[in-house]
Amino acid sequence: MSEEPIDPDSEAVQHALETLVELEETGTLDDLADAANLVSLASEAVDDDMVRSTMRAMVHAGELFDTAAGEPEALRNLEVMTAALSETAPDSATAPDQVGMIGMMRKMNDPKTKRGMGFLVQLLHELGDQLEQRAHRYDFETEIETERP
C-alpha cells in the first residue's frame, strides 16, 4: 500500500462516500454488517472436531451414493417411494383423513393397495434379512446370529 495521504476531494473518495450513503439509505449497509457478524459467529463456532465429523459424514454419504449408483433397482425403488410420498400428502398440513379399521379393511380390496402392501411386505422381509446379515457391523448387542445357515 502507498504511504501517500488520501485526498478527501478525489473522485474515488467521493464515489465511495456516495456508495456508502446509498447503502445506508437503502438499509443494505446494516444487512452487510449483520451478515459479517453472522459469518464471524459461525467461524468462531466451527471447530476442528466439527469439520472432521462433517467430512466423515460426507464421505459416508458419498459411499452410500456410490453403492446406490451401482444398484439401478434400488434407485428405481427410491424414485417410486419418493413419488408416492409426494402424492400421498403434498402438504403435510393437509395430510389424508384418518382411516379406521373398517376403512382400512375396505382399502385392502383395492388392487393398488394390494400391490403396495406386497411391496411393503417384501421390503420388510429384505430389511430383516439385511439387518441379520449386517448385525455384526453395529455397536449394539444383538441375539441375531452373524453366521448364515
Side-chain angles (χ1 to χ4, degrees), residues 76-96:
R76 282 195 301 269
N77 287 337
L78 284 173
E79 181 182 354
V80 166
M81 291 177 70
T82 302
L85 282 171
S86 63
E87 290 296 321
T88 299
D91 178 10
S92 60
T94 59

Side-chain angles (χ1 to χ4, degrees), residues 31-47:
D31 293 342
L32 289 171
D34 290 343
N37 286 332
L38 183 61
V39 169
S40 176
L41 288 172
S43 70
E44 290 172 12
V46 175
D47 60 9

Side-chain angles (χ1 to χ4, degrees), residues 3 11 14 19 21 27 35 44 53 95 119 124 126 146-148:
E3 297 293 324
E11 186 176 329
Q14 292 303 315
T19 302
V21 168
E44 290 172 12
S53 173
F119 180 89
L124 290 171
E126 295 301 330
T146 57
E147 299 285 326
R148 296 211 54 179

Side-chain angles (χ1 to χ4, degrees), residues 61-147:
E63 290 170 350
L64 289 173
F65 284 127
D66 188 45
T67 300
E71 302 285 340
E73 298 85 4
L75 291 175
R76 282 195 301 269
N77 287 337
L78 284 173
E79 181 182 354
V80 166
M81 291 177 70
T82 302
L85 282 171
S86 63
E87 290 296 321
T88 299
D91 178 10
S92 60
T94 59
D97 293 335
Q98 293 182 3
V99 176
M101 289 297 290
I102 302 295
M104 188 172 72
M105 296 304 284
R106 284 189 187 125
K107 278 289 194 184
M108 295 301 283
N109 286 325
D110 181 342
K112 291 179 184 177
T113 301
K114 287 179 179 180
R115 187 168 187 173
M117 288 294 293
F119 180 89
L120 287 177
V121 168
Q122 186 64 32
L123 174 65
L124 290 171
H125 173 82
E126 295 301 330
L127 181 60
D129 186 47
Q130 290 298 318
L131 287 170
E132 186 176 321
Q133 289 180 35
R134 298 164 189 256
H136 66 279
R137 295 184 186 179
Y138 303 110
D139 293 335
F140 56 86
E141 291 186 15
T142 179
E143 294 179 17
I144 299 174
E145 294 179 22
T146 57
E147 299 285 326

